[in-house]
Amino acid sequence: MHITTLPVYELILLLGSPFVRETVFGKGSSEAATKGLSAIFLLIIIPVVVIFFFILKSVYSHTIGKKLKSTLKEDYAKEARKFENEGNFVSAAVVYENKLKDTRKAASLYEKGHDYDRAAMLYDLLGMTEKAKEMYIKAGSLENAAEVAILEGEFDEAAALYDRAGKKIDVAKVMKGAGKMIYAVKAYREAGEYKKAALLLKDEGMLKEAAEMFGFSLYDKKPDTATMEDFYTYAGMLEETGDVQKAAAVYRDIDRADPSFRDVRERLVSLSSKPGEEPVPEGMTTVRSIIKSGRTEPKYSLKLWVQVLKGLQQAYRNGWPPGLLSPDNIIIDAQNNVSFLKRTQPSAYAPPEITKELVPDERADIYSAGVILFEIMTGNLEGLGAVRVIDILDDVPEWLDDIVLKCLKKVREDRYQSIQEIFTDLMNLSRGRTDADALSG
């Protein structure tokens, strides 16, 4: 007996007919069979449709699509040639760059059309650095040309380009990066960046030149909140070069503006002990040492102060010049004899008229003596000129505070005019008090 085998799709169609479903599966199960066959049909037909779609797409792209693409490219090329023949090179370059993706041709056409910036960018992308630099230069974009040169390691050329662009600081940075410090210093100086130039010179061990260069940055300036740190640095540089006198002058300017700034006072004391100035003789001590040992009671402060004033009167008779008085310059021996050293006077003890370049006289030392008495009694100079001694200490008589105030008058004509006037006032103000004994002898 011969059995005929049906193809799968015919079998599916046959099973899909109501008659066959009822015959094979029975009438009751017809609806369930329909759903099952539908699911099988979908499982088979969907992959077939997908495969068919990709076959059609591939056939299209290799036939009609390829032909359309080729035709479109030819149209673009024709458009570009038309622009080029008309002399519209930039428009032609745009077509070559964006539609035909021919970067090299686009770059050459931008160049012909004098769009040098765009040409330079494309040449740069192509790695044609020489052409890129040439185009940037023609476009006047010297900084971009310099950046290309830097990437190629051509530092001298980059510096020359920045120089032509007037970018002196960039010249300095390039030269510094190339290790050519002297050229970097020159560029910083020409840019007015004296501090940066000075620091480079210092790094090169050229201390004297560094200090001189740093000084240029402070020309026509005075120490204030904004410049104080720079003046301090400058003074330190001068110290390193051995220019003690100039360093001390700068420290005094700082001290005059702000006596509490960093360690400026210690610096001044240190400089006053440099070779060439009188050292403290062996076996003697300075008033500075007494102050450092702690606050002195008012009656002992007054006795010490009177000793200093008497010693100063005698020093004048021996030709001692006014204008040097400070706790570091006053020395005392074991017998409490007072004498003086010729050392630099810190500006905290200098009278206000010193800024007006007036010749110091006895009144200048009276101001300095007032500062010293304030410091001996309080232990420091905090509040000097802003508060009275009696605002700080409870055991100071008001008459003694009045004497300190008069010594510290800003205008020298308002101060005591001589040390003898101080003694007279002390006798009158302290009459009947045990402190008057300080004047005896």
Side-chain angles (χ1 to χ4, degrees):
M1 180 178 174
H2 179 70
I3 299 174
T4 303
T5 303
L6 295 174
V8 174
Y9 67 91
E10 288 186 14
L11 179 61
I12 292 171
L13 293 173
L14 181 61
L15 291 172
S17 67
F19 175 78
V20 173
R21 285 201 307 273
E22 290 179 9
T23 304
V24 175
F25 299 108
K27 188 174 182 178
S29 60
S30 175
E31 185 177 347
T34 300
K35 291 181 180 179
L37 288 172
S38 296
I40 293 172
F41 179 78
L42 287 173
L43 288 174
I44 294 173
I45 199 65
I46 289 173
V48 171
V49 171
V50 171
I51 292 170
F52 185 68
F53 170 78
F54 281 106
I55 291 172
L56 285 178
K57 183 179 178 182
S58 177
V59 171
Y60 176 84
S61 62
H62 285 83
T63 55
I64 300 171
K66 187 174 182 180
K67 186 175 181 180
L68 288 174
K69 188 175 181 180
S70 177
T71 302
L72 190 60
K73 190 173 182 180
E74 288 175 1
D75 289 343
Y76 288 149
K78 185 177 179 181
E79 180 186 10
R81 285 194 296 272
K82 179 177 178 292
F83 282 134
E84 192 173 356
N85 291 334
E86 292 173 351
N88 194 345
F89 300 114
V90 172
S91 296
V94 171
V95 175
Y96 274 108
E97 180 186 6
N98 299 321
K99 296 178 179 179
L100 296 173
K101 308 301 179 186
D102 189 341
T103 307
R104 187 181 294 268
K105 179 68 174 178
S108 66
L109 287 170
Y110 278 128
E111 181 181 355
K112 288 182 73 173
H114 299 165
D115 190 342
Y116 299 121
D117 269 320
R118 192 64 197 167
M121 290 174 63
L122 293 184
Y123 280 132
D124 202 2
L125 286 172
L126 290 165
M128 301 170 67
T129 54
E130 288 302 319
K131 287 294 291 183
K133 281 188 293 184
E134 179 189 342
M135 293 299 102
Y136 278 131
I137 291 170
K138 284 186 176 182
S141 302
L142 298 175
E143 294 175 62
N144 289 333
E147 289 174 9
V148 174
I150 290 171
L151 292 174
E152 292 299 303
E154 299 167 347
F155 299 111
D156 287 339
E157 185 177 0
L161 288 166
Y162 277 132
D163 192 47
R164 284 175 58 187
K167 301 293 183 179
K168 296 292 184 180
I169 292 177
D170 289 313
V171 173
K173 289 178 180 178
V174 171
M175 290 291 95
K176 183 180 177 182
K180 298 183 177 182
M181 297 303 178
I182 300 303
Y183 290 102
V185 167
K186 180 176 180 291
Y188 273 135
R189 186 187 65 201
E190 291 174 352
E193 291 286 344
Y194 299 113
K195 285 192 289 185
K196 291 181 179 179
L199 294 175
L200 282 183
L201 286 168
K202 186 179 180 182
D203 289 342
E204 293 296 298
M206 303 171 70
L207 297 180
K208 186 176 180 180
E209 292 80 1
E212 183 180 359
M213 186 69 68
F214 203 97
F216 291 152
S217 69
L218 300 174
Y219 179 74
D220 206 26
K221 294 180 182 178
K222 292 183 178 180
D224 56 28
T225 305
T227 63
M228 198 78 73
E229 193 67 43
D230 287 339
F231 273 94
Y232 184 85
T233 301
Y234 178 46
M237 285 184 168
L238 290 169
E239 268 196 88
E240 289 185 71
T241 65
D243 195 342
V244 174
Q245 289 185 342
K246 200 168 183 179
V250 176
Y251 282 131
R252 279 196 294 273
D253 288 340
I254 297 171
D255 196 29
R256 193 174 293 115
D258 182 1
S260 65
F261 185 78
R262 295 183 63 168
D263 61 345
V264 69
R265 283 189 183 162
E266 288 78 2
R267 293 277 188 177
L268 282 167
V269 172
S270 174
L271 288 179
S272 69
S273 303
K274 296 289 184 183
E277 295 196 352
E278 289 186 72
V280 177
E282 190 175 348
M284 301 187 77
T285 188
T286 65
V287 171
R288 172 68 66 199
S289 299
I290 295 173
I291 293 171
K292 284 185 175 180
S293 65
R295 175 184 170 263
T296 306
E297 290 184 23
K299 65 178 180 179
Y300 296 119
S301 298
L302 181 57
K303 285 182 179 181
L304 175 60
W305 192 59
V306 169
Q307 279 182 276
V308 170
L309 293 179
K310 286 183 176 180
L312 196 57
Q313 283 182 316
Q314 183 59 47
Y316 289 151
R317 288 191 285 271
N318 296 331
W320 177 260
L324 295 175
L325 200 62
S326 78
D328 308 287
N329 297 348
I330 306 168
I331 54 176
I332 305 170
D333 64 16
Q335 288 74 42
N336 290 327
N337 295 313
V338 174
S339 55
F340 305 91
L341 296 175
K342 288 184 178 180
R343 304 168 83 179
T344 304
Q345 182 190 50
S347 61
Y349 305 93
E353 62 265 23
I354 203 74
T355 61
K356 300 176 182 178
E357 299 182 356
L358 297 176
V359 177
D361 56 18
E362 190 171 344
R363 291 171 295 181
D365 281 343
I366 288 172
Y367 177 89
S368 303
V371 177
I372 292 169
L373 180 56
F374 182 98
E375 190 171 14
I376 292 172
M377 287 195 292
T378 64
N380 55 61
L381 292 178
E382 292 180 14
L384 178 68
V387 297
R388 301 177 62 167
V389 177
I390 57 174
D391 295 331
I392 302 172
L393 305 173
D394 296 328
D395 54 352
V396 175
E398 189 172 348
W399 59 265
L400 181 54
D401 185 57
D402 289 337
I403 287 175
V404 175
L405 285 176
K406 190 167 182 179
C407 288
L408 294 176
K409 292 291 185 181
K410 299 293 185 184
V411 179
R412 63 183 181 178
E413 286 75 18
D414 295 337
R415 291 178 217 141
Y416 291 106
Q417 299 300 291
S418 67
I419 292 173
Q420 191 56 49
E421 281 190 17
I422 297 176
F423 289 157
T424 301
D425 222 2
L426 274 170
M427 289 293 291
N428 293 332
L429 292 170
S430 64
R431 193 177 302 279
R433 294 177 172 84
T434 55
D435 293 333
D437 294 337
L439 299 176
S440 63

